[in-house]
Amino acid sequence: MNYTTQMDAARKGLITDEMKIVSKKENIDVNVLRSLIAEGKIAIPANKNHKNLNPEGIGEGLRTKINVNLGISKDCYNIDAEMEKVKKALELKAEAIMDLSSYGKTEEFRRKLVETSTAMIGTVPIYDAVGFYDKELKDISEKEFLDVIEKHAKDGVDFMTIHAGINKSTAERFKKNKRLTHIVSRGGSLVFAWMELNGKENPFYEYYDDILDICEKYDVTISLGDACRPGSIHDSTDASQIEELIVLGELTKRAWEKNVQVMIEGPGHMALNEIAGNMMLEKRLCHGAPFYVLGPIVTDIAPGYDHITSAIGGAIAASNGADFLCYVTPAEHLRLPNLDDMKEGIIATRIAAHAADIAKGIKGARDWDNEMSKARADLDWNKMFELAIDPEKAKKYREESMPEHEDSCTMCGKMCSMRNMKKILNGEDINILRD
């Protein structure tokens, strides 16, 4: 029996190769997985043209996944440097990479990325349109926007951010409810500007069915962009954000009618006490579709440290139902991240995702922590390094300050609780002051 997309296969009762791989990775019964894909509660972004993809599932009951943003820009045009970031992202076990390229030979970089990456690849086609056509934004036609989407799909992109929720009604709501930071989504601001400059409906909303046809043809997962996500804690959970979320819920159902897989993108900047409520709203209004969040960034005063503000929000968001975390680096709001920034962002986001998986009760999530705790109790340093989320940094810290006695560290020395409890429980003298 033939199928067009993972959702189509699931609804026909078929088990795809991608489902088998995800089932094994997640230790979940493949028929349970298939059923959740059929309902839209899990997506497996897997473009038919991404031949070396190592597929991942995103959604209910699965491990929280993380995404890494990278790409070339006019101010930092260096394809080789971005490919180094790709290699590092794969090495650090990111499940997804988004190409946010907005200048120059984006097609060359995108194709190279798809060819290289075993992780799923996402893009935001509107970023590419201006450079691809070498036109001012207002002069790009509706058909030209759709042609870029098809080009990305044909190149093997697994998921695409499409800002279809900011239609004329949402835009009017935004204008009537003033914000401190306006529209901070880059794609959202471009769509809003195009609408205002041309006096027309959002082409991604007006021609949404045509976009779905493209996604179905290549099995591209549509990631419904949050054009009205809050860019400050002042603007979170306001009328614009919620109206757009309602529209995204409607667009989700339309996508599922064509067997197109969907993810919903979410905030943004948001105070701690609003996060759980926002996760519940998304799941209710968007019918349980997987939720993909940036952060949330929980305070606006920490430029240079936004990988931390984001990890705090991400852990809370994922423990309350978010399924996919977009990393944030220390360079957020400041500049294009370099390789070190990217590593810091990935590690912080992976910690947040894992902490949330423990809270969500994901099967096997605690096993890693229990192994680390046993290695600590045994003072097995090599095992601790092996289990560390960043072994390189753990080894470096240890080697920079070696203790006099191997069974301790330079913080506690022979007063180390692990050392002394091990000795006492083995019937030995702890000899703190004697050699």
Side-chain angles (χ1 to χ4, degrees), residues 41-52:
K41 292 180 179 177
I42 288 177
I44 301 179
N47 188 311
K48 295 170 184 175
N49 290 342
H50 190 175
K51 302 302 184 184
N52 64 335

Side-chain angles (χ1 to χ4, degrees), residues 68-116:
V68 170
N69 290 337
L70 43 78
I72 50 179
S73 68
K74 187 172 183 178
D75 289 314
C76 296
Y77 186 80
N78 189 328
I79 289 177
D80 291 338
E82 294 309 296
M83 287 308 299
E84 281 301 310
K85 292 180 186 177
V86 171
K87 291 175 185 174
K88 179 59 72 173
L90 295 174
E91 178 189 318
L92 293 174
K93 302 177 182 177
E95 289 90 3
I97 296 171
M98 284 199 82
D99 173 18
L100 306 188
S101 294
S102 58
Y103 179 79
K105 297 179 181 178
T106 57
E107 184 176 15
E108 176 189 332
F109 177 68
R110 181 171 59 255
R111 288 181 174 178
K112 196 171 183 180
L113 175 59
V114 171
E115 184 181 321
T116 301

Side-chain angles (χ1 to χ4, degrees), residues 268-303:
H269 294 234
M270 182 167 289
L272 285 170
N273 59 310
E274 294 181 45
I275 295 173
N278 268 261
M279 300 307 107
M280 181 271 291
L281 274 174
E282 184 278 340
K283 290 291 183 176
R284 291 282 291 173
L285 293 174
C286 296
H287 323 293
F291 200 16
Y292 174 25
V293 298
L294 177 73
I297 291 172
V298 296
T299 178
D300 300 327
I301 52 84

Side-chain angles (χ1 to χ4, degrees), residues 301-335:
I301 52 84
Y305 297 91
D306 276 326
H307 59 312
I308 296 173
T309 63
S310 172
I312 293 167
I316 295 170
S319 64
N320 282 280
D323 307 288
F324 193 20
L325 301 181
C326 186
Y327 92 150
V328 171
T329 77
E332 184 79 4
H333 304 111
L334 301 171
R335 59 169 168 81

Side-chain angles (χ1 to χ4, degrees), residues 372-416:
M372 176 64 87
S373 296
K374 185 177 186 308
R376 283 182 174 146
D378 292 341
L379 296 168
D380 185 343
W381 296 99
N382 289 331
K383 187 68 174 176
M384 284 186 247
F385 299 146
E386 179 188 320
L387 291 166
I389 199 164
D390 182 0
E392 183 182 346
K393 189 169 188 178
K395 285 180 186 176
K396 177 174 175 284
Y397 274 41
R398 172 79 173 166
E399 289 167 1
E400 282 179 349
S401 185
M402 289 296 290
E404 181 182 357
H405 299 276
E406 179 65 23
D407 62 351
S408 64
C409 76
T410 53
M411 176 72 180
C412 299
K414 290 175 75 175
M415 288 189 183
C416 170

Side-chain angles (χ1 to χ4, degrees), residues 49-65:
N49 290 342
H50 190 175
K51 302 302 184 184
N52 64 335
L53 175 69
N54 187 352
E56 297 283 355
I58 301 170
E60 186 177 304
L62 305 185
R63 288 180 300 105
T64 306
K65 308 305 187 299

